[in-house]
Amino acid sequence: MDLFEAVFDLYEQIRLKAENDFQDLIKCQYTQQCYSDNGAFCLVLEVTVLKNISDDDYGLVFAINAQTEPNHANYKSDANGIFLIADVHHGDNKVISSLDELVFNPQNDAEVKEAYGKIEYFIKPFTGSVSDLLVNDYDLKLVDNSIN
């Protein structure tokens, strides 16, 4: 299982939903790095609100960071493997939700699948709620995509 590709597919569902609901009112972009030698990666989806934009808060950020060192000090620092954290926050860095740090062996397919299951459980609800977050927090209106 390619964890990076699987997470990217989850993010794509969020991006498509947001772009469909708000069209030209938002801009979505990815920042990504993949370290194929050890399975570590960073994948960020930014949903930038183009209306009422401020320097303090520009939208929503979905971030997954996996690396060979713990992301938090003293977290299982003697463990080997990939340490992964995930969070969703406003552009002003106010956390909406976060996933506790996971550690897994990238060579063990069962551990990779278990880690993906936890990530999917965390991210999947945002496929449905991304539009609500944008409407409630950024005074956006859904675009009527119905055919008359």
mmCIF file of all heavy atoms in Angstrom, residues 25 49-55 57-59 137-140:
data_model
loop_
_atom_site.group_PDB
_atom_site.id
_atom_site.type_symbol
_atom_site.label_atom_id
_atom_site.label_comp_id
_atom_site.label_asym_id
_atom_site.label_seq_id
_atom_site.Cartn_x
_atom_site.Cartn_y
_atom_site.Cartn_z
ATOM 1 N N LEU A 25 -14.672 31.290 -5.465
ATOM 2 C CA LEU A 25 -14.520 31.969 -4.181
ATOM 3 C C LEU A 25 -13.343 31.438 -3.371
ATOM 4 O O LEU A 25 -12.944 32.036 -2.378
ATOM 5 C CB LEU A 25 -15.805 31.825 -3.350
ATOM 6 C CG LEU A 25 -17.067 32.405 -3.992
ATOM 7 C CD1 LEU A 25 -18.281 32.104 -3.119
ATOM 8 C CD2 LEU A 25 -16.925 33.903 -4.210
ATOM 9 N N VAL A 49 -9.511 31.111 1.104
ATOM 10 C CA VAL A 49 -10.716 31.887 0.836
ATOM 11 C C VAL A 49 -10.292 33.194 0.182
ATOM 12 O O VAL A 49 -9.524 33.963 0.754
ATOM 13 C CB VAL A 49 -11.491 32.158 2.144
ATOM 14 C CG1 VAL A 49 -12.722 33.016 1.879
ATOM 15 C CG2 VAL A 49 -11.885 30.838 2.799
ATOM 16 N N LEU A 50 -10.777 33.440 -1.033
ATOM 17 C CA LEU A 50 -10.355 34.627 -1.775
ATOM 18 C C LEU A 50 -11.147 35.872 -1.386
ATOM 19 O O LEU A 50 -10.739 36.982 -1.656
ATOM 20 C CB LEU A 50 -10.484 34.369 -3.282
ATOM 21 C CG LEU A 50 -9.647 33.195 -3.802
ATOM 22 C CD1 LEU A 50 -9.926 32.961 -5.276
ATOM 23 C CD2 LEU A 50 -8.166 33.434 -3.552
ATOM 24 N N LYS A 51 -12.281 35.680 -0.725
ATOM 25 C CA LYS A 51 -13.121 36.793 -0.290
ATOM 26 C C LYS A 51 -12.850 37.047 1.196
ATOM 27 O O LYS A 51 -12.682 36.105 1.960
ATOM 28 C CB LYS A 51 -14.580 36.389 -0.508
ATOM 29 C CG LYS A 51 -15.605 37.340 0.010
ATOM 30 C CD LYS A 51 -16.984 36.754 -0.233
ATOM 31 C CE LYS A 51 -17.866 37.126 0.928
ATOM 32 N NZ LYS A 51 -19.182 36.591 0.824
ATOM 33 N N ASN A 52 -12.832 38.292 1.603
ATOM 34 C CA ASN A 52 -12.604 38.642 3.012
ATOM 35 C C ASN A 52 -11.306 38.042 3.547
ATOM 36 O O ASN A 52 -11.213 37.656 4.693
ATOM 37 C CB ASN A 52 -13.769 38.177 3.905
ATOM 38 C CG ASN A 52 -15.062 38.850 3.536
ATOM 39 O OD1 ASN A 52 -15.068 39.954 3.009
ATOM 40 N ND2 ASN A 52 -16.164 38.189 3.811
ATOM 41 N N ILE A 53 -10.315 37.999 2.697
ATOM 42 C CA ILE A 53 -9.047 37.405 3.104
ATOM 43 C C ILE A 53 -8.313 38.367 4.046
ATOM 44 O O ILE A 53 -8.397 39.583 3.890
ATOM 45 C CB ILE A 53 -8.208 37.065 1.865
ATOM 46 C CG1 ILE A 53 -7.069 36.140 2.219
ATOM 47 C CG2 ILE A 53 -7.706 38.300 1.173
ATOM 48 C CD1 ILE A 53 -6.415 35.520 0.989
ATOM 49 N N SER A 54 -7.641 37.808 5.029
ATOM 50 C CA SER A 54 -6.857 38.647 5.935
ATOM 51 C C SER A 54 -5.488 38.010 6.101
ATOM 52 O O SER A 54 -5.285 36.839 5.803
ATOM 53 C CB SER A 54 -7.550 38.768 7.297
ATOM 54 O OG SER A 54 -7.407 37.561 8.023
ATOM 55 N N ASP A 55 -4.553 38.789 6.600
ATOM 56 C CA ASP A 55 -3.221 38.254 6.848
ATOM 57 C C ASP A 55 -3.231 37.247 7.984
ATOM 58 O O ASP A 55 -2.347 36.410 8.090
ATOM 59 C CB ASP A 55 -2.236 39.381 7.184
ATOM 60 C CG ASP A 55 -1.953 40.255 5.980
ATOM 61 O OD1 ASP A 55 -2.154 39.773 4.838
ATOM 62 O OD2 ASP A 55 -1.547 41.413 6.174
ATOM 63 N N ASP A 57 -5.875 35.075 8.806
ATOM 64 C CA ASP A 57 -6.611 33.833 8.579
ATOM 65 C C ASP A 57 -7.054 33.781 7.127
ATOM 66 O O ASP A 57 -7.883 34.555 6.696
ATOM 67 C CB ASP A 57 -7.824 33.773 9.516
ATOM 68 C CG ASP A 57 -8.533 32.432 9.469
ATOM 69 O OD1 ASP A 57 -8.116 31.551 8.684
ATOM 70 O OD2 ASP A 57 -9.502 32.265 10.200
ATOM 71 N N TYR A 58 -6.509 32.847 6.384
ATOM 72 C CA TYR A 58 -6.778 32.814 4.950
ATOM 73 C C TYR A 58 -7.590 31.613 4.512
ATOM 74 O O TYR A 58 -7.840 31.436 3.335
ATOM 75 C CB TYR A 58 -5.472 32.874 4.156
ATOM 76 C CG TYR A 58 -4.454 31.852 4.595
ATOM 77 C CD1 TYR A 58 -4.501 30.544 4.122
ATOM 78 C CD2 TYR A 58 -3.467 32.186 5.502
ATOM 79 C CE1 TYR A 58 -3.591 29.596 4.541
ATOM 80 C CE2 TYR A 58 -2.546 31.248 5.913
ATOM 81 C CZ TYR A 58 -2.613 29.959 5.436
ATOM 82 O OH TYR A 58 -1.699 29.035 5.865
ATOM 83 N N GLY A 59 -7.983 30.728 5.416
ATOM 84 C CA GLY A 59 -8.769 29.571 5.017
ATOM 85 C C GLY A 59 -8.518 28.363 5.890
ATOM 86 O O GLY A 59 -8.314 28.486 7.091
ATOM 87 N N ASP A 137 -17.409 29.772 8.959
ATOM 88 C CA ASP A 137 -16.265 30.543 9.442
ATOM 89 C C ASP A 137 -15.840 31.678 8.529
ATOM 90 O O ASP A 137 -15.102 32.560 8.940
ATOM 91 C CB ASP A 137 -15.074 29.613 9.672
ATOM 92 C CG ASP A 137 -15.359 28.592 10.769
ATOM 93 O OD1 ASP A 137 -16.229 28.858 11.625
ATOM 94 O OD2 ASP A 137 -14.720 27.529 10.764
ATOM 95 N N TYR A 138 -16.281 31.657 7.256
ATOM 96 C CA TYR A 138 -15.764 32.641 6.310
ATOM 97 C C TYR A 138 -16.843 33.378 5.530
ATOM 98 O O TYR A 138 -16.568 33.997 4.528
ATOM 99 C CB TYR A 138 -14.781 31.964 5.341
ATOM 100 C CG TYR A 138 -13.598 31.420 6.090
ATOM 101 C CD1 TYR A 138 -13.523 30.073 6.411
ATOM 102 C CD2 TYR A 138 -12.593 32.263 6.534
ATOM 103 C CE1 TYR A 138 -12.449 29.576 7.141
ATOM 104 C CE2 TYR A 138 -11.525 31.774 7.261
ATOM 105 C CZ TYR A 138 -11.464 30.429 7.559
ATOM 106 O OH TYR A 138 -10.416 29.950 8.276
ATOM 107 N N ASP A 139 -18.084 33.305 5.980
ATOM 108 C CA ASP A 139 -19.176 34.043 5.359
ATOM 109 C C ASP A 139 -19.246 33.810 3.848
ATOM 110 O O ASP A 139 -19.382 34.735 3.064
ATOM 111 C CB ASP A 139 -19.052 35.538 5.663
ATOM 112 C CG ASP A 139 -20.304 36.303 5.266
ATOM 113 O OD1 ASP A 139 -21.402 35.716 5.325
ATOM 114 O OD2 ASP A 139 -20.187 37.477 4.864
ATOM 115 N N LEU A 140 -19.111 32.559 3.457
ATOM 116 C CA LEU A 140 -19.239 32.190 2.052
ATOM 117 C C LEU A 140 -20.620 31.602 1.813
ATOM 118 O O LEU A 140 -21.230 31.052 2.706
ATOM 119 C CB LEU A 140 -18.189 31.141 1.656
ATOM 120 C CG LEU A 140 -16.739 31.582 1.632
ATOM 121 C CD1 LEU A 140 -15.846 30.388 1.330
ATOM 122 C CD2 LEU A 140 -16.517 32.661 0.593
#
